[in-house]
Amino acid sequence: MKKRSSEKKRHVVAWVNKAEWDQVLEYLYSKDSALQRFALQRISAWKCRYASSCPVAVDCTADLVRCQVLDRSGQLDGGDLVLLYGAALVRFVNLITERQQGRVARPLRRLAGNLNIPEWIVDLRHDFTHRKLPTLKWCRKGCKVVLEWLQHEYWSRQLGGGPNEDWESQSDGEDEETDLKHQEDELIARQKEMEAYKNARGLLISFEKEQFQAFGGLPEDREKSLWPAPFAEMSWLLGEIKQFALESSDLLMDVLLEDGFLVPTVEQLEILGCETYASASPSPTEPRLPQTFLRFWLPLLKMLNSPAFVHLLLEKLFVELKLLTKDQNSHRAFYLSAWISEVMLCNSNKFEYHFETKGQRKARMKDRIFVNRIQLRWQQLLSACLDAPCISTPHLLQLILDDMEHPLPLETRQRLLQLCSIYTQTTHSEFDPSPEQKQQPIYTLESLHEKLQHSRHHSHPWHSRAESERSESSQEYKRADVQAEKAKLLRGSPWQLCADKVLWKNYPLGKVPGQSDDPSSLMVENYSTMTVFDQPVEMESNTTYSVPGVSAPVRTADGLLWNHSDVNKLKSGLQLF
């Protein structure tokens, strides 16, 4: 009987020895993807040995670890990863609770609670199978929590004996109570986080509904009104959002930067009558927000406006942009870059136009997120911008460099922009002229006009081309500012600006008023003399020279030979400068 009892307790396993088990367990929970791949290969070998009786916990652990390995590889985009994580999590909940089911089906939440599985994991499984797919962030959190649960409930318990898949063995004493208390606290914290996330989405969706209804109902006011929604209802809604931001600003910002909010969908742009990102800006390298879309979000952004909010917004925008380094031309990357550009331009000290009226200035200020200048963390912004390379990085870098409180040396800025342009495969001249181009003197009227246009574009990058042309048409701008700008650009060049009214038809081509008829006035300041004998001679030329009073030279094998008298005659008729 003893022999039979001992034989009954024996359990055939697929691993060679305890050392292999320990190695696979260590590699599965390693941060090194190469070690995790090795562990997955060993588990594949175990499954072949087990045939169809591989432990459920081993199978689920391998599925979840495989998701992490593919996530870190960067080979899949967000949507594919969500589906991959979803399949692994659904499979885990179904397989682990399967043995608890009887003839009558029981709720998964109750079964999961008996096994100490967090309730929000079951909610994730429900969302995957019945509702809208969760975000990648929650998928990663779910995978991490489930792997910790498997390590505690299965892998750690196998060190003292054979596999145990009843999922009912419990530890005794204080350790059990401590673990239960910890799991309860963790469950409560995660449920609160999930509830807060849902509340944030609900508030922002309510704001969008009010705005879409107002903008859709008043299409003629899209270009005139900042806040077409009913004041009382919108005021209450903005107050709720502001209160939520005071309690959890990070979470609200994360939701704001999801697709469908500050990053619009194509359907939302169509409802607002905005163009898609491919044609929403004059240049893909200098993204700008559509005016209607900016005004759509202005009431909310103005209400949340504070230095802390602006800092957090820029930080989150650059973090999200960094995640899209392999998809630089995407719709999402365009709008993330456009929001960064909008914030930087609001903070720019170049926003003053002395030629505009009070009404024009008031209308312009109405379309800004904030008016007063904010002391930004320039070094952090610079590092974050360079750490998130995309097609718009040179433009964003130029805005940061131009607006810094303590600007870098000019040469450093130029080199930084050139390196950035090389790295992002963009043309540097689109953002800032090269040092050679800046130092090159102006020789023609065309080059003066080109430099003048480029100077205006850099001084007022937020102007559209049409606005620029309208500004140039104003008489005040033409007479005073254009003349001053031209004079400034012509410094160091051979030309000077003439402000006098001159009838040029009275002067022949090549002469200016006050120029002397003496040819010596055309002499350059620095020159050198050269004798006739030092001048180069084309030895193999077949040209026949004919000079009055001078006989033709004799051609020999050594070249042309002149006699002494002919050379003197030539000298007397030449003047060298």
PDB file of all heavy atoms in Angstrom, residues 37 74 85 87 90 105 129 197 207 214 234 237 278 289 331 355 357 365 370 385 391 403 441 458 460 505 507 538 549:
ATOM      1  N   ARG A  37      12.850  35.249 -24.944  1.00  0.00           N
ATOM      2  CA  ARG A  37      12.675  34.400 -26.129  1.00  0.00           C
ATOM      3  C   ARG A  37      13.216  32.995 -25.873  1.00  0.00           C
ATOM      4  O   ARG A  37      12.619  31.991 -26.297  1.00  0.00           O
ATOM      5  CB  ARG A  37      13.377  35.025 -27.336  1.00  0.00           C
ATOM      6  CG  ARG A  37      12.702  36.276 -27.875  1.00  0.00           C
ATOM      7  CD  ARG A  37      13.256  36.647 -29.234  1.00  0.00           C
ATOM      8  NE  ARG A  37      12.779  37.947 -29.669  1.00  0.00           N
ATOM      9  CZ  ARG A  37      13.439  39.073 -29.493  1.00  0.00           C
ATOM     10  NH1 ARG A  37      14.620  39.059 -28.902  1.00  0.00           N
ATOM     11  NH2 ARG A  37      12.939  40.217 -29.911  1.00  0.00           N
ATOM     12  N   GLY A  74       8.930  46.620 -31.284  1.00  0.00           N
ATOM     13  CA  GLY A  74       8.546  47.749 -32.127  1.00  0.00           C
ATOM     14  C   GLY A  74       8.088  47.352 -33.510  1.00  0.00           C
ATOM     15  O   GLY A  74       7.955  48.193 -34.395  1.00  0.00           O
ATOM     16  N   TYR A  85      -2.634  41.556 -26.962  1.00  0.00           N
ATOM     17  CA  TYR A  85      -2.828  41.525 -25.517  1.00  0.00           C
ATOM     18  C   TYR A  85      -4.234  41.033 -25.165  1.00  0.00           C
ATOM     19  O   TYR A  85      -4.424  40.259 -24.201  1.00  0.00           O
ATOM     20  CB  TYR A  85      -2.629  42.924 -24.929  1.00  0.00           C
ATOM     21  CG  TYR A  85      -1.195  43.303 -24.670  1.00  0.00           C
ATOM     22  CD1 TYR A  85      -0.575  44.321 -25.376  1.00  0.00           C
ATOM     23  CD2 TYR A  85      -0.451  42.655 -23.683  1.00  0.00           C
ATOM     24  CE1 TYR A  85       0.747  44.683 -25.125  1.00  0.00           C
ATOM     25  CE2 TYR A  85       0.857  43.009 -23.420  1.00  0.00           C
ATOM     26  CZ  TYR A  85       1.454  44.024 -24.156  1.00  0.00           C
ATOM     27  OH  TYR A  85       2.743  44.373 -23.895  1.00  0.00           O
ATOM     28  N   ALA A  87      -6.244  38.939 -26.776  1.00  0.00           N
ATOM     29  CA  ALA A  87      -6.386  37.492 -26.924  1.00  0.00           C
ATOM     30  C   ALA A  87      -5.753  36.756 -25.740  1.00  0.00           C
ATOM     31  O   ALA A  87      -6.322  35.793 -25.207  1.00  0.00           O
ATOM     32  CB  ALA A  87      -5.748  37.047 -28.238  1.00  0.00           C
ATOM     33  N   VAL A  90      -7.968  37.418 -22.476  1.00  0.00           N
ATOM     34  CA  VAL A  90      -9.230  36.669 -22.545  1.00  0.00           C
ATOM     35  C   VAL A  90      -8.966  35.180 -22.327  1.00  0.00           C
ATOM     36  O   VAL A  90      -9.692  34.492 -21.581  1.00  0.00           O
ATOM     37  CB  VAL A  90      -9.925  36.913 -23.900  1.00  0.00           C
ATOM     38  CG1 VAL A  90     -11.095  35.954 -24.089  1.00  0.00           C
ATOM     39  CG2 VAL A  90     -10.426  38.348 -23.986  1.00  0.00           C
ATOM     40  N   ALA A 105     -23.736  27.636 -15.120  1.00  0.00           N
ATOM     41  CA  ALA A 105     -22.730  28.689 -15.297  1.00  0.00           C
ATOM     42  C   ALA A 105     -22.829  29.722 -14.185  1.00  0.00           C
ATOM     43  O   ALA A 105     -23.938  30.141 -13.800  1.00  0.00           O
ATOM     44  CB  ALA A 105     -22.918  29.362 -16.650  1.00  0.00           C
ATOM     45  N   THR A 129     -14.338  41.492 -25.365  1.00  0.00           N
ATOM     46  CA  THR A 129     -15.276  40.596 -26.038  1.00  0.00           C
ATOM     47  C   THR A 129     -16.603  41.238 -26.403  1.00  0.00           C
ATOM     48  O   THR A 129     -17.282  40.771 -27.317  1.00  0.00           O
ATOM     49  CB  THR A 129     -15.560  39.373 -25.138  1.00  0.00           C
ATOM     50  OG1 THR A 129     -15.958  39.817 -23.837  1.00  0.00           O
ATOM     51  CG2 THR A 129     -14.314  38.510 -25.000  1.00  0.00           C
ATOM     52  N   TYR A 197     -10.655  57.403 -14.918  1.00  0.00           N
ATOM     53  CA  TYR A 197     -10.444  57.427 -16.371  1.00  0.00           C
ATOM     54  C   TYR A 197     -11.778  57.550 -17.114  1.00  0.00           C
ATOM     55  O   TYR A 197     -11.915  58.332 -18.061  1.00  0.00           O
ATOM     56  CB  TYR A 197      -9.695  56.165 -16.793  1.00  0.00           C
ATOM     57  CG  TYR A 197      -9.537  56.001 -18.277  1.00  0.00           C
ATOM     58  CD1 TYR A 197      -8.567  56.712 -18.984  1.00  0.00           C
ATOM     59  CD2 TYR A 197     -10.363  55.136 -18.994  1.00  0.00           C
ATOM     60  CE1 TYR A 197      -8.429  56.571 -20.357  1.00  0.00           C
ATOM     61  CE2 TYR A 197     -10.229  54.981 -20.356  1.00  0.00           C
ATOM     62  CZ  TYR A 197      -9.265  55.698 -21.037  1.00  0.00           C
ATOM     63  OH  TYR A 197      -9.133  55.551 -22.385  1.00  0.00           O
ATOM     64  N   PHE A 207     -18.241  67.634 -23.402  1.00  0.00           N
ATOM     65  CA  PHE A 207     -17.791  68.914 -23.947  1.00  0.00           C
ATOM     66  C   PHE A 207     -17.831  68.884 -25.470  1.00  0.00           C
ATOM     67  O   PHE A 207     -18.302  69.833 -26.121  1.00  0.00           O
ATOM     68  CB  PHE A 207     -16.371  69.212 -23.454  1.00  0.00           C
ATOM     69  CG  PHE A 207     -15.737  70.416 -24.092  1.00  0.00           C
ATOM     70  CD1 PHE A 207     -15.993  71.692 -23.630  1.00  0.00           C
ATOM     71  CD2 PHE A 207     -14.882  70.261 -25.180  1.00  0.00           C
ATOM     72  CE1 PHE A 207     -15.415  72.805 -24.232  1.00  0.00           C
ATOM     73  CE2 PHE A 207     -14.294  71.357 -25.784  1.00  0.00           C
ATOM     74  CZ  PHE A 207     -14.559  72.634 -25.306  1.00  0.00           C
ATOM     75  N   ALA A 214     -23.245  72.913 -31.273  1.00  0.00           N
ATOM     76  CA  ALA A 214     -23.241  74.359 -31.502  1.00  0.00           C
ATOM     77  C   ALA A 214     -22.600  74.712 -32.838  1.00  0.00           C
ATOM     78  O   ALA A 214     -23.130  75.508 -33.608  1.00  0.00           O
ATOM     79  CB  ALA A 214     -22.505  75.056 -30.363  1.00  0.00           C
ATOM     80  N   MET A 234     -22.503  75.075 -20.612  1.00  0.00           N
ATOM     81  CA  MET A 234     -21.061  74.945 -20.849  1.00  0.00           C
ATOM     82  C   MET A 234     -20.267  75.405 -19.633  1.00  0.00           C
ATOM     83  O   MET A 234     -19.235  74.820 -19.296  1.00  0.00           O
ATOM     84  CB  MET A 234     -20.660  75.762 -22.079  1.00  0.00           C
ATOM     85  CG  MET A 234     -19.170  75.671 -22.410  1.00  0.00           C
ATOM     86  SD  MET A 234     -18.627  73.998 -22.773  1.00  0.00           S
ATOM     87  CE  MET A 234     -19.255  73.805 -24.431  1.00  0.00           C
ATOM     88  N   LEU A 237     -20.211  72.600 -17.175  1.00  0.00           N
ATOM     89  CA  LEU A 237     -19.366  71.504 -17.651  1.00  0.00           C
ATOM     90  C   LEU A 237     -17.885  71.844 -17.492  1.00  0.00           C
ATOM     91  O   LEU A 237     -17.079  71.010 -17.045  1.00  0.00           O
ATOM     92  CB  LEU A 237     -19.696  71.214 -19.117  1.00  0.00           C
ATOM     93  CG  LEU A 237     -19.049  69.976 -19.737  1.00  0.00           C
ATOM     94  CD1 LEU A 237     -19.398  68.728 -18.947  1.00  0.00           C
ATOM     95  CD2 LEU A 237     -19.488  69.830 -21.187  1.00  0.00           C
ATOM     96  N   ALA A 278      -3.075  66.336 -44.342  1.00  0.00           N
ATOM     97  CA  ALA A 278      -2.202  66.419 -45.513  1.00  0.00           C
ATOM     98  C   ALA A 278      -2.290  67.771 -46.196  1.00  0.00           C
ATOM     99  O   ALA A 278      -1.336  68.219 -46.823  1.00  0.00           O
ATOM    100  CB  ALA A 278      -2.558  65.317 -46.503  1.00  0.00           C
ATOM    101  N   LEU A 289      -2.589  74.277 -36.853  1.00  0.00           N
ATOM    102  CA  LEU A 289      -3.933  73.773 -36.593  1.00  0.00           C
ATOM    103  C   LEU A 289      -4.953  74.503 -37.463  1.00  0.00           C
ATOM    104  O   LEU A 289      -4.852  75.718 -37.660  1.00  0.00           O
ATOM    105  CB  LEU A 289      -4.296  73.986 -35.124  1.00  0.00           C
ATOM    106  CG  LEU A 289      -3.507  73.178 -34.096  1.00  0.00           C
ATOM    107  CD1 LEU A 289      -3.853  73.680 -32.695  1.00  0.00           C
ATOM    108  CD2 LEU A 289      -3.805  71.702 -34.208  1.00  0.00           C
ATOM    109  N   HIS A 331      -1.164  61.037 -39.260  1.00  0.00           N
ATOM    110  CA  HIS A 331      -2.148  62.046 -38.868  1.00  0.00           C
ATOM    111  C   HIS A 331      -1.914  62.482 -37.422  1.00  0.00           C
ATOM    112  O   HIS A 331      -1.958  63.671 -37.098  1.00  0.00           O
ATOM    113  CB  HIS A 331      -3.533  61.422 -39.035  1.00  0.00           C
ATOM    114  CG  HIS A 331      -4.660  62.250 -38.531  1.00  0.00           C
ATOM    115  ND1 HIS A 331      -5.370  63.113 -39.329  1.00  0.00           N
ATOM    116  CD2 HIS A 331      -5.214  62.361 -37.290  1.00  0.00           C
ATOM    117  CE1 HIS A 331      -6.320  63.709 -38.616  1.00  0.00           C
ATOM    118  NE2 HIS A 331      -6.245  63.269 -37.373  1.00  0.00           N
ATOM    119  N   PHE A 355       1.612  97.980 -36.752  1.00  0.00           N
ATOM    120  CA  PHE A 355       0.798  98.569 -37.812  1.00  0.00           C
ATOM    121  C   PHE A 355      -0.674  98.175 -37.700  1.00  0.00           C
ATOM    122  O   PHE A 355      -1.515  98.692 -38.424  1.00  0.00           O
ATOM    123  CB  PHE A 355       1.316  98.154 -39.193  1.00  0.00           C
ATOM    124  CG  PHE A 355       1.390  96.678 -39.385  1.00  0.00           C
ATOM    125  CD1 PHE A 355       0.276  95.950 -39.764  1.00  0.00           C
ATOM    126  CD2 PHE A 355       2.574  96.005 -39.157  1.00  0.00           C
ATOM    127  CE1 PHE A 355       0.342  94.602 -39.930  1.00  0.00           C
ATOM    128  CE2 PHE A 355       2.647  94.640 -39.331  1.00  0.00           C
ATOM    129  CZ  PHE A 355       1.526  93.930 -39.713  1.00  0.00           C
ATOM    130  N   THR A 357      -4.555  97.649 -36.031  1.00  0.00           N
ATOM    131  CA  THR A 357      -5.469  98.450 -35.220  1.00  0.00           C
ATOM    132  C   THR A 357      -5.810  97.699 -33.936  1.00  0.00           C
ATOM    133  O   THR A 357      -5.481  96.517 -33.770  1.00  0.00           O
ATOM    134  CB  THR A 357      -6.752  98.727 -36.012  1.00  0.00           C
ATOM    135  OG1 THR A 357      -7.414  97.477 -36.275  1.00  0.00           O
ATOM    136  CG2 THR A 357      -6.433  99.423 -37.330  1.00  0.00           C
ATOM    137  N   MET A 365      -5.763  88.253 -30.463  1.00  0.00           N
ATOM    138  CA  MET A 365      -5.578  87.746 -29.109  1.00  0.00           C
ATOM    139  C   MET A 365      -6.682  86.751 -28.723  1.00  0.00           C
ATOM    140  O   MET A 365      -6.480  85.878 -27.889  1.00  0.00           O
ATOM    141  CB  MET A 365      -5.570  88.911 -28.110  1.00  0.00           C
ATOM    142  CG  MET A 365      -4.344  89.798 -28.216  1.00  0.00           C
ATOM    143  SD  MET A 365      -2.840  88.869 -27.830  1.00  0.00           S
ATOM    144  CE  MET A 365      -1.597  90.134 -28.079  1.00  0.00           C
ATOM    145  N   PHE A 370      -3.226  81.360 -24.442  1.00  0.00           N
ATOM    146  CA  PHE A 370      -2.891  82.263 -23.339  1.00  0.00           C
ATOM    147  C   PHE A 370      -2.205  83.491 -23.923  1.00  0.00           C
ATOM    148  O   PHE A 370      -1.667  83.459 -25.034  1.00  0.00           O
ATOM    149  CB  PHE A 370      -1.996  81.579 -22.297  1.00  0.00           C
ATOM    150  CG  PHE A 370      -0.718  81.018 -22.865  1.00  0.00           C
ATOM    151  CD1 PHE A 370       0.455  81.752 -22.841  1.00  0.00           C
ATOM    152  CD2 PHE A 370      -0.685  79.750 -23.406  1.00  0.00           C
ATOM    153  CE1 PHE A 370       1.630  81.238 -23.352  1.00  0.00           C
ATOM    154  CE2 PHE A 370       0.482  79.223 -23.926  1.00  0.00           C
ATOM    155  CZ  PHE A 370       1.642  79.967 -23.897  1.00  0.00           C
ATOM    156  N   CYS A 385      12.548  67.979 -27.473  1.00  0.00           N
ATOM    157  CA  CYS A 385      12.367  68.165 -28.920  1.00  0.00           C
ATOM    158  C   CYS A 385      13.361  67.318 -29.704  1.00  0.00           C
ATOM    159  O   CYS A 385      13.001  66.650 -30.678  1.00  0.00           O
ATOM    160  CB  CYS A 385      12.516  69.647 -29.267  1.00  0.00           C
ATOM    161  SG  CYS A 385      12.254  70.023 -31.018  1.00  0.00           S
ATOM    162  N   ILE A 391       9.406  64.836 -38.883  1.00  0.00           N
ATOM    163  CA  ILE A 391       9.560  65.750 -40.010  1.00  0.00           C
ATOM    164  C   ILE A 391       9.401  67.213 -39.584  1.00  0.00           C
ATOM    165  O   ILE A 391       9.926  68.126 -40.225  1.00  0.00           O
ATOM    166  CB  ILE A 391       8.544  65.392 -41.118  1.00  0.00           C
ATOM    167  CG1 ILE A 391       8.875  66.135 -42.418  1.00  0.00           C
ATOM    168  CG2 ILE A 391       7.121  65.691 -40.668  1.00  0.00           C
ATOM    169  CD1 ILE A 391       8.041  65.691 -43.581  1.00  0.00           C
ATOM    170  N   ASP A 403      12.864  81.616 -29.134  1.00  0.00           N
ATOM    171  CA  ASP A 403      12.095  82.156 -28.016  1.00  0.00           C
ATOM    172  C   ASP A 403      12.785  81.978 -26.667  1.00  0.00           C
ATOM    173  O   ASP A 403      12.240  82.370 -25.649  1.00  0.00           O
ATOM    174  CB  ASP A 403      10.715  81.471 -27.978  1.00  0.00           C
ATOM    175  CG  ASP A 403       9.693  82.310 -27.220  1.00  0.00           C
ATOM    176  OD1 ASP A 403       9.770  83.542 -27.312  1.00  0.00           O
ATOM    177  OD2 ASP A 403       8.845  81.731 -26.534  1.00  0.00           O
ATOM    178  N   PRO A 441      26.552  88.549 -49.757  1.00  0.00           N
ATOM    179  CA  PRO A 441      26.041  89.905 -50.028  1.00  0.00           C
ATOM    180  C   PRO A 441      24.914  89.885 -51.056  1.00  0.00           C
ATOM    181  O   PRO A 441      24.757  88.936 -51.818  1.00  0.00           O
ATOM    182  CB  PRO A 441      27.278  90.645 -50.567  1.00  0.00           C
ATOM    183  CG  PRO A 441      28.448  89.798 -50.193  1.00  0.00           C
ATOM    184  CD  PRO A 441      27.956  88.393 -50.149  1.00  0.00           C
ATOM    185  N   HIS A 458      10.139  84.631 -41.203  1.00  0.00           N
ATOM    186  CA  HIS A 458      10.690  84.194 -39.928  1.00  0.00           C
ATOM    187  C   HIS A 458      10.261  85.098 -38.786  1.00  0.00           C
ATOM    188  O   HIS A 458      10.148  84.665 -37.646  1.00  0.00           O
ATOM    189  CB  HIS A 458      12.222  84.163 -40.007  1.00  0.00           C
ATOM    190  CG  HIS A 458      12.722  82.787 -40.301  1.00  0.00           C
ATOM    191  ND1 HIS A 458      12.901  81.856 -39.307  1.00  0.00           N
ATOM    192  CD2 HIS A 458      13.052  82.189 -41.458  1.00  0.00           C
ATOM    193  CE1 HIS A 458      13.342  80.733 -39.848  1.00  0.00           C
ATOM    194  NE2 HIS A 458      13.437  80.905 -41.149  1.00  0.00           N
ATOM    195  N   HIS A 460       7.333  86.620 -38.598  1.00  0.00           N
ATOM    196  CA  HIS A 460       5.906  86.387 -38.332  1.00  0.00           C
ATOM    197  C   HIS A 460       5.514  85.036 -38.917  1.00  0.00           C
ATOM    198  O   HIS A 460       4.779  84.960 -39.897  1.00  0.00           O
ATOM    199  CB  HIS A 460       5.043  87.487 -38.958  1.00  0.00           C
ATOM    200  CG  HIS A 460       5.590  88.866 -38.713  1.00  0.00           C
ATOM    201  ND1 HIS A 460       5.681  89.395 -37.444  1.00  0.00           N
ATOM    202  CD2 HIS A 460       6.088  89.798 -39.553  1.00  0.00           C
ATOM    203  CE1 HIS A 460       6.195  90.622 -37.534  1.00  0.00           C
ATOM    204  NE2 HIS A 460       6.459  90.872 -38.784  1.00  0.00           N
ATOM    205  N   LYS A 505      15.207 107.954 -66.142  1.00  0.00           N
ATOM    206  CA  LYS A 505      15.268 108.027 -67.605  1.00  0.00           C
ATOM    207  C   LYS A 505      16.290 109.064 -68.074  1.00  0.00           C
ATOM    208  O   LYS A 505      16.713 109.040 -69.227  1.00  0.00           O
ATOM    209  CB  LYS A 505      13.892 108.360 -68.169  1.00  0.00           C
ATOM    210  CG  LYS A 505      13.381 109.753 -67.788  1.00  0.00           C
ATOM    211  CD  LYS A 505      12.025 110.004 -68.412  1.00  0.00           C
ATOM    212  CE  LYS A 505      11.522 111.419 -68.069  1.00  0.00           C
ATOM    213  NZ  LYS A 505      10.208 111.692 -68.689  1.00  0.00           N
ATOM    214  N   TYR A 507      19.287 109.239 -66.942  1.00  0.00           N
ATOM    215  CA  TYR A 507      20.636 108.703 -66.744  1.00  0.00           C
ATOM    216  C   TYR A 507      20.815 107.456 -67.591  1.00  0.00           C
ATOM    217  O   TYR A 507      19.934 106.601 -67.643  1.00  0.00           O
ATOM    218  CB  TYR A 507      20.860 108.361 -65.258  1.00  0.00           C
ATOM    219  CG  TYR A 507      20.799 109.571 -64.361  1.00  0.00           C
ATOM    220  CD1 TYR A 507      19.583 109.963 -63.792  1.00  0.00           C
ATOM    221  CD2 TYR A 507      21.941 110.319 -64.097  1.00  0.00           C
ATOM    222  CE1 TYR A 507      19.505 111.069 -62.971  1.00  0.00           C
ATOM    223  CE2 TYR A 507      21.860 111.438 -63.274  1.00  0.00           C
ATOM    224  CZ  TYR A 507      20.653 111.807 -62.710  1.00  0.00           C
ATOM    225  OH  TYR A 507      20.585 112.907 -61.906  1.00  0.00           O
ATOM    226  N   GLU A 538      48.523  81.859 -74.828  1.00  0.00           N
ATOM    227  CA  GLU A 538      48.069  80.565 -75.318  1.00  0.00           C
ATOM    228  C   GLU A 538      48.993  80.140 -76.436  1.00  0.00           C
ATOM    229  O   GLU A 538      48.928  80.634 -77.549  1.00  0.00           O
ATOM    230  CB  GLU A 538      46.622  80.660 -75.804  1.00  0.00           C
ATOM    231  CG  GLU A 538      45.641  81.004 -74.687  1.00  0.00           C
ATOM    232  CD  GLU A 538      44.222  81.054 -75.196  1.00  0.00           C
ATOM    233  OE1 GLU A 538      44.029  80.780 -76.399  1.00  0.00           O
ATOM    234  OE2 GLU A 538      43.314  81.355 -74.398  1.00  0.00           O
ATOM    235  N   GLY A 549      51.386  98.797 -87.483  1.00  0.00           N
ATOM    236  CA  GLY A 549      52.771  99.184 -87.264  1.00  0.00           C
ATOM    237  C   GLY A 549      53.634  98.101 -86.668  1.00  0.00           C
ATOM    238  O   GLY A 549      54.806  98.330 -86.397  1.00  0.00           O
TER     239      GLY A 549
END
